[in-house]
Structure formats: structure tokens, C-alpha cells
Amino acid sequence: MQLQKLFSEHDALLVASPDYNGGYTAMLKNAIDWMSRPIPEKVSGLALFANKATAVISASPGPMGGIRSMLAMRGVLEKLGAVLIPQTFTLGLAHQAFIEDGQLGNSVVEGEVKAVGAALVRFCGALRAA
Ligand SMILES: Cc1cc2nc3c(=O)[nH]c(=O)nc-3n(C[C@H](O)[C@H](O)[C@H](O)COP(=O)(O)O)c2cc1C
């Protein structure tokens, strides 16, 4: 599977997902479930998640930014063996957060989400060195 190959070629995973009624999307869960299945060489798909430096961020049109789905997704990924960093980000009122060019309109919020990405890169480097 193409997605499994992509996973195997990268050391870190950043999941960014909208919240659907307090949960993660069915499509995202379906993709993760298929990823966990055996890869062509008969190796468990779980090997793709093992010790993978991982962060989860979310967005919703509500005020909480999809925190419920973000926390639930962390549990799914932990169960599969991924190593979750503590840094998270949730974007509330997401339908109002972006300006015409697709960038975030608030530089403070932009700094917060970029900080999660930077933390993930740092952690990934530390994990690889260990
Ligand atoms: C198809 C669909 C459409 C939705 N549309 C809206 C919407 O227009 N506005 C909204 O606030 N939530 C909508 N929701 C609920 C959001 O997915 C989400 O659960 C909610 O905004 C969470 O807010 P919170 O993060 O503040 O708890 C929709 C959910 C679905 C499944």
C-alpha cells in the first residue's frame, strides 16, 4: 500500500484533523486501521507505528477546536505503539481563522501551531539519536 510505504520512509507523524461531532473522522480512522494491517513483506503494519514520533492537532467550527477528537486520536495512536509528544494544538472557530491566501489570520495562533511542529522535529531528532 502506498501510504504504508510513505509511513515507512518517515520518522515522524503529524495528524491534523477536523472534529466531527466530538470524534475523529471515520475516514481518518479507516486509513489508520488499514495502515495497521500486514505490509507486503508479511511484516505487521504495527511496525510502522512503533516508536514513531507523533503529534496530533485538530480544528472545529466550535469554540473547543475539536479537543475531544484530538484526545481520542492520541489514544488510538498510542495503542498502535506511536510515541506521542505532549505538545498539542486545537483551532477553534476554524471557519473564521483563515484569510484569503489560506494562511492563519492571527500570528499568535500561527506561532502556537508552528511550535507543535518544531517540538515534533526536536523530539524526532532526540528519538533517532537515542
Ligand atoms: C456534517 C457535519 C457538519 C457540522 N457542521 C457544524 C457547523 O456548521 N458548526 C458547528 O459548530 N459544528 C458543526 N458540526 C459539529 C462539528 O463537527 C464539531 O463537533 C463541533 O464544532 C465541535 O465543537 P467544539 O470543538 O467546540 O466542541 C458538524 C458536524 C458534522 C458531522
Side-chain angles (χ1 to χ4, degrees), residues 19-22 60-66 68:
D19 175 295
Y20 279 10
N21 290 339
S60 81
M64 307 288 284
R68 295 178 194 84

PDB file of all heavy atoms in Angstrom, residues 19-22 60-66 68, ligand 1:
ATOM      1  N   ASP A  19     -12.791  17.923  13.623  1.00  0.00           N
ATOM      2  CA  ASP A  19     -13.615  17.187  14.595  1.00  0.00           C
ATOM      3  C   ASP A  19     -14.994  16.994  13.969  1.00  0.00           C
ATOM      4  O   ASP A  19     -15.569  17.942  13.432  1.00  0.00           O
ATOM      5  CB  ASP A  19     -13.699  18.053  15.862  1.00  0.00           C
ATOM      6  CG  ASP A  19     -14.607  17.505  16.940  1.00  0.00           C
ATOM      7  OD1 ASP A  19     -15.837  17.419  16.703  1.00  0.00           O
ATOM      8  OD2 ASP A  19     -14.106  17.223  18.036  1.00  0.00           O
ATOM      9  N   TYR A  20     -15.495  15.755  14.030  1.00  0.00           N
ATOM     10  CA  TYR A  20     -16.864  15.512  13.576  1.00  0.00           C
ATOM     11  C   TYR A  20     -17.689  15.093  14.790  1.00  0.00           C
ATOM     12  O   TYR A  20     -17.522  13.971  15.306  1.00  0.00           O
ATOM     13  CB  TYR A  20     -16.911  14.381  12.539  1.00  0.00           C
ATOM     14  CG  TYR A  20     -16.558  14.768  11.116  1.00  0.00           C
ATOM     15  CD1 TYR A  20     -16.024  16.011  10.793  1.00  0.00           C
ATOM     16  CD2 TYR A  20     -16.778  13.866  10.077  1.00  0.00           C
ATOM     17  CE1 TYR A  20     -15.706  16.340   9.481  1.00  0.00           C
ATOM     18  CE2 TYR A  20     -16.467  14.191   8.766  1.00  0.00           C
ATOM     19  CZ  TYR A  20     -15.928  15.425   8.478  1.00  0.00           C
ATOM     20  OH  TYR A  20     -15.612  15.729   7.177  1.00  0.00           O
ATOM     21  N   ASN A  21     -18.519  15.983  15.263  1.00  0.00           N
ATOM     22  CA  ASN A  21     -19.400  15.681  16.394  1.00  0.00           C
ATOM     23  C   ASN A  21     -18.653  15.087  17.583  1.00  0.00           C
ATOM     24  O   ASN A  21     -19.075  14.102  18.185  1.00  0.00           O
ATOM     25  CB  ASN A  21     -20.533  14.737  15.964  1.00  0.00           C
ATOM     26  CG  ASN A  21     -21.532  15.445  15.054  1.00  0.00           C
ATOM     27  OD1 ASN A  21     -21.604  16.674  15.048  1.00  0.00           O
ATOM     28  ND2 ASN A  21     -22.297  14.685  14.299  1.00  0.00           N
ATOM     29  N   GLY A  22     -17.524  15.668  17.913  1.00  0.00           N
ATOM     30  CA  GLY A  22     -16.780  15.233  19.096  1.00  0.00           C
ATOM     31  C   GLY A  22     -15.849  14.064  18.865  1.00  0.00           C
ATOM     32  O   GLY A  22     -15.214  13.575  19.803  1.00  0.00           O
ATOM     33  N   SER A  60     -12.109  22.760  14.691  1.00  0.00           N
ATOM     34  CA  SER A  60     -13.560  22.637  14.604  1.00  0.00           C
ATOM     35  C   SER A  60     -14.152  24.040  14.487  1.00  0.00           C
ATOM     36  O   SER A  60     -13.507  25.024  14.842  1.00  0.00           O
ATOM     37  CB  SER A  60     -14.127  21.940  15.853  1.00  0.00           C
ATOM     38  OG  SER A  60     -14.251  22.862  16.918  1.00  0.00           O
ATOM     39  N   PRO A  61     -15.389  24.114  14.021  1.00  0.00           N
ATOM     40  CA  PRO A  61     -16.034  25.430  13.985  1.00  0.00           C
ATOM     41  C   PRO A  61     -16.521  25.868  15.371  1.00  0.00           C
ATOM     42  O   PRO A  61     -16.925  27.007  15.556  1.00  0.00           O
ATOM     43  CB  PRO A  61     -17.204  25.228  13.008  1.00  0.00           C
ATOM     44  CG  PRO A  61     -17.479  23.760  13.030  1.00  0.00           C
ATOM     45  CD  PRO A  61     -16.192  23.076  13.353  1.00  0.00           C
ATOM     46  N   GLY A  62     -16.500  24.965  16.335  1.00  0.00           N
ATOM     47  CA  GLY A  62     -16.904  25.291  17.700  1.00  0.00           C
ATOM     48  C   GLY A  62     -15.767  25.953  18.456  1.00  0.00           C
ATOM     49  O   GLY A  62     -14.647  26.067  17.963  1.00  0.00           O
ATOM     50  N   PRO A  63     -16.042  26.374  19.692  1.00  0.00           N
ATOM     51  CA  PRO A  63     -15.027  27.078  20.478  1.00  0.00           C
ATOM     52  C   PRO A  63     -13.885  26.190  20.991  1.00  0.00           C
ATOM     53  O   PRO A  63     -12.794  26.685  21.301  1.00  0.00           O
ATOM     54  CB  PRO A  63     -15.828  27.664  21.648  1.00  0.00           C
ATOM     55  CG  PRO A  63     -17.018  26.778  21.778  1.00  0.00           C
ATOM     56  CD  PRO A  63     -17.347  26.321  20.393  1.00  0.00           C
ATOM     57  N   MET A  64     -14.112  24.876  21.096  1.00  0.00           N
ATOM     58  CA  MET A  64     -13.103  23.996  21.697  1.00  0.00           C
ATOM     59  C   MET A  64     -12.056  23.484  20.711  1.00  0.00           C
ATOM     60  O   MET A  64     -11.089  22.830  21.095  1.00  0.00           O
ATOM     61  CB  MET A  64     -13.790  22.782  22.357  1.00  0.00           C
ATOM     62  CG  MET A  64     -14.888  23.126  23.335  1.00  0.00           C
ATOM     63  SD  MET A  64     -14.247  23.808  24.852  1.00  0.00           S
ATOM     64  CE  MET A  64     -13.655  22.313  25.602  1.00  0.00           C
ATOM     65  N   GLY A  65     -12.269  23.739  19.461  1.00  0.00           N
ATOM     66  CA  GLY A  65     -11.273  23.347  18.457  1.00  0.00           C
ATOM     67  C   GLY A  65     -11.123  21.851  18.264  1.00  0.00           C
ATOM     68  O   GLY A  65     -10.090  21.381  17.794  1.00  0.00           O
ATOM     69  N   GLY A  66     -12.141  21.105  18.662  1.00  0.00           N
ATOM     70  CA  GLY A  66     -12.077  19.657  18.433  1.00  0.00           C
ATOM     71  C   GLY A  66     -11.199  18.926  19.427  1.00  0.00           C
ATOM     72  O   GLY A  66     -10.629  17.874  19.113  1.00  0.00           O
ATOM     73  N   ARG A  68     -11.912  17.067  21.864  1.00  0.00           N
ATOM     74  CA  ARG A  68     -12.349  15.685  22.149  1.00  0.00           C
ATOM     75  C   ARG A  68     -11.761  14.715  21.119  1.00  0.00           C
ATOM     76  O   ARG A  68     -11.246  13.646  21.463  1.00  0.00           O
ATOM     77  CB  ARG A  68     -13.862  15.588  22.123  1.00  0.00           C
ATOM     78  CG  ARG A  68     -14.583  16.372  23.202  1.00  0.00           C
ATOM     79  CD  ARG A  68     -16.091  16.226  23.038  1.00  0.00           C
ATOM     80  NE  ARG A  68     -16.817  17.199  23.829  1.00  0.00           N
ATOM     81  CZ  ARG A  68     -17.071  18.450  23.445  1.00  0.00           C
ATOM     82  NH1 ARG A  68     -16.647  18.881  22.269  1.00  0.00           N
ATOM     83  NH2 ARG A  68     -17.733  19.277  24.220  1.00  0.00           N
TER      84      ARG A  68
HETATM   85  C1  LIG B   1     -21.534  17.064   8.703  1.00  0.00           C
HETATM   86  C2  LIG B   1     -21.285  17.900   9.933  1.00  0.00           C
HETATM   87  C3  LIG B   1     -21.464  19.247   9.871  1.00  0.00           C
HETATM   88  C4  LIG B   1     -21.217  20.040  11.004  1.00  0.00           C
HETATM   89  N1  LIG B   1     -21.400  21.376  10.934  1.00  0.00           N
HETATM   90  C5  LIG B   1     -21.136  22.149  12.003  1.00  0.00           C
HETATM   91  C6  LIG B   1     -21.275  23.578  11.925  1.00  0.00           C
HETATM   92  O1  LIG B   1     -21.699  24.133  10.919  1.00  0.00           O
HETATM   93  N2  LIG B   1     -20.965  24.311  13.031  1.00  0.00           N
HETATM   94  C7  LIG B   1     -20.523  23.725  14.185  1.00  0.00           C
HETATM   95  O2  LIG B   1     -20.221  24.422  15.154  1.00  0.00           O
HETATM   96  N3  LIG B   1     -20.371  22.382  14.279  1.00  0.00           N
HETATM   97  C8  LIG B   1     -20.677  21.592  13.221  1.00  0.00           C
HETATM   98  N4  LIG B   1     -20.548  20.227  13.306  1.00  0.00           N
HETATM   99  C9  LIG B   1     -20.034  19.679  14.576  1.00  0.00           C
HETATM  100  C10 LIG B   1     -18.547  19.772  14.493  1.00  0.00           C
HETATM  101  O3  LIG B   1     -18.055  18.669  13.755  1.00  0.00           O
HETATM  102  C11 LIG B   1     -17.845  19.732  15.847  1.00  0.00           C
HETATM  103  O4  LIG B   1     -18.165  18.558  16.537  1.00  0.00           O
HETATM  104  C12 LIG B   1     -18.161  20.899  16.755  1.00  0.00           C
HETATM  105  O5  LIG B   1     -17.982  22.117  16.076  1.00  0.00           O
HETATM  106  C13 LIG B   1     -17.193  20.747  17.943  1.00  0.00           C
HETATM  107  O6  LIG B   1     -17.047  21.952  18.622  1.00  0.00           O
HETATM  108  P1  LIG B   1     -16.034  22.011  19.850  1.00  0.00           P
HETATM  109  O7  LIG B   1     -14.691  21.599  19.337  1.00  0.00           O
HETATM  110  O8  LIG B   1     -16.095  23.436  20.294  1.00  0.00           O
HETATM  111  O9  LIG B   1     -16.552  21.060  20.884  1.00  0.00           O
HETATM  112  C14 LIG B   1     -20.790  19.433  12.194  1.00  0.00           C
HETATM  113  C15 LIG B   1     -20.596  18.054  12.237  1.00  0.00           C
HETATM  114  C16 LIG B   1     -20.838  17.303  11.126  1.00  0.00           C
HETATM  115  C17 LIG B   1     -20.616  15.818  11.213  1.00  0.00           C
END
